[in-house]
Amino acid sequence: LGSLFAPKFKINENTHFRRNARDFEPFYFRIKDITLGQAVSRIATIQTEMKLSQDAVIPMGTIETMNDTFNKMIGALVLSAALILLVLVIQFKSFVQALIIMYSIPLSLGGAILGLILMDETLNVGVIVGFILLIGIIVNNGILLMDAINQRLVSGMTLLDSIKESVESRTRPILM
């Protein structure tokens, strides 16, 4: 761990630390030359290499707050997707059309994750907020496209022709 942190050990023989009914000894570190997410990942790797149990290292402080925040943000991401699906089903009165719009979400998130990997960027709160915004933009574009398709179907066009014409007419405004 010394390669990741500038250690500052503080021994208190008179102080007894307990958490979740277990004794522990706190170690205080200041991260050097890496992000908090990279440090957490590296600690997990070291823990695996040293064959330590999951309870042997208990992240506290900023790491604990970061993990808690990520879990809540991912929960918000899942909840927002479920609420969007519900609104789309109500709006289009069709579960199938709502699923077609929602199908574009994993594809766009896959592209965003690939971009993070290519740029060697870590997952952070800003990225998760960006994912939530991306989902909103993708769903909005899907709604516009599905509405254009439905309008052409009502006017009597075949399904394939209405899809082709809708994509042609909506691609430029969506990209703008």
Side-chain angles (χ1 to χ4, degrees):
L1 291 175
S3 65
L4 298 175
F5 306 100
K8 175 182 145 189
F9 296 101
K10 186 175 170 184
I11 298 174
N12 295 324
E13 294 180 17
N14 298 331
T15 307
H16 187 76
F17 295 97
R18 291 184 62 78
R19 182 174 183 168
N20 299 330
R22 295 188 63 190
D23 296 335
F24 73 92
E25 184 64 37
F27 293 94
Y28 302 93
F29 298 99
R30 185 168 306 279
I31 299 174
K32 60 180 185 181
D33 301 330
I34 58 174
T35 66
L36 189 58
Q38 291 168 331
V40 169
S41 176
R42 186 68 182 122
I43 289 171
T45 303
I46 291 170
Q47 196 171 349
T48 303
E49 289 171 358
M50 295 179 68
K51 297 180 180 149
L52 297 173
S53 71
Q54 293 297 322
D55 296 339
V57 177
I58 303 170
M60 297 174 75
T62 307
I63 293 174
E64 185 179 31
T65 304
M66 181 189 75
N67 288 338
D68 187 46
T69 301
F70 278 166
N71 289 337
K72 287 179 181 176
M73 297 275 303
I74 290 171
L77 190 66
V78 171
L79 179 63
S80 65
L83 289 174
I84 289 170
L85 178 63
L86 179 65
V87 168
L88 289 175
V89 168
I90 293 168
Q91 180 181 356
F92 286 105
K93 298 178 182 78
S94 168
F95 189 72
V96 173
Q97 288 183 359
L99 282 180
I100 290 171
I101 293 171
M102 295 295 286
Y103 180 72
S104 59
I105 292 174
L107 297 175
S108 62
L109 288 179
I113 291 170
L114 180 64
L116 288 175
I117 291 169
L118 290 175
M119 299 302 288
D120 195 28
E121 187 65 40
T122 60
L123 187 65
N124 55 49
V125 174
V127 169
I128 294 175
V129 169
F131 284 171
I132 293 171
L133 292 172
L134 177 63
I135 287 172
I137 292 168
I138 294 301
V139 168
N140 184 42
N141 293 338
I143 290 169
L144 292 173
L145 189 59
M146 188 61 69
D147 187 52
I149 291 169
N150 287 339
Q151 286 177 3
R152 284 168 177 76
L153 286 173
V154 168
S155 70
M157 294 179 85
T158 65
L159 179 62
L160 189 58
D161 288 339
S162 47
I163 291 172
K164 284 180 184 178
E165 192 173 308
S166 296
V167 169
E168 287 174 6
S169 69
R170 295 303 311 162
T171 299
R172 184 170 176 245
I174 286 172
L175 290 176
M176 296 291 282

